[in-house]
Amino acid sequence: MDWIMNFSRSSVSSLFVENVIHTPKYGYAEDCYVSTQLVGYARSIAYIDENVYHYRKGDPTAMTGQQRRKRKREYSLNFIDLYLKYKDAP
């Protein structure tokens, strides 16, 4: 999960240690899947108006370069799974 380097290491580490953070079944949109949980558990969050994450556009091996229908399906299945994990959370 190299995208995690965008966050403060100590903040993310404590969120992973103190909470159960699930990983997605499918590889597409895993950053959004995990980030949603981290934001949900965080005591505070901040917005930085700066580009800190860059997708590998133009790389045929990147997940964003795969078939659009497959990506939408995996994205949807990941978030249905995430909803089912947390739907009864207080």
Side-chain angles (χ1 to χ4, degrees), residues 27-30 55-72 74:
Y28 186 71
E30 71 281 357
Y55 288 93
R56 295 179 295 166
K57 294 180 180 177
D59 181 350
T61 63
M63 293 296 284
T64 54
Q66 292 184 1
Q67 298 173 345
R68 187 175 196 86
R69 176 179 276 168
K70 180 181 178 185
R71 289 191 324 239
K72 283 184 176 180
E74 288 183 356

Side-chain angles (χ1 to χ4, degrees), residues 23-70:
T23 54
K25 292 180 182 179
Y26 303 97
Y28 186 71
E30 71 281 357
D31 52 346
C32 191
Y33 185 95
V34 174
S35 295
T36 300
Q37 296 171 84
L38 295 175
V39 168
Y41 285 120
R43 288 181 290 235
S44 65
I45 58 172
Y47 172 75
I48 301 171
D49 191 14
E50 192 176 313
N51 293 329
V52 294
Y53 187 81
H54 304 280
Y55 288 93
R56 295 179 295 166
K57 294 180 180 177
D59 181 350
T61 63
M63 293 296 284
T64 54
Q66 292 184 1
Q67 298 173 345
R68 187 175 196 86
R69 176 179 276 168
K70 180 181 178 185

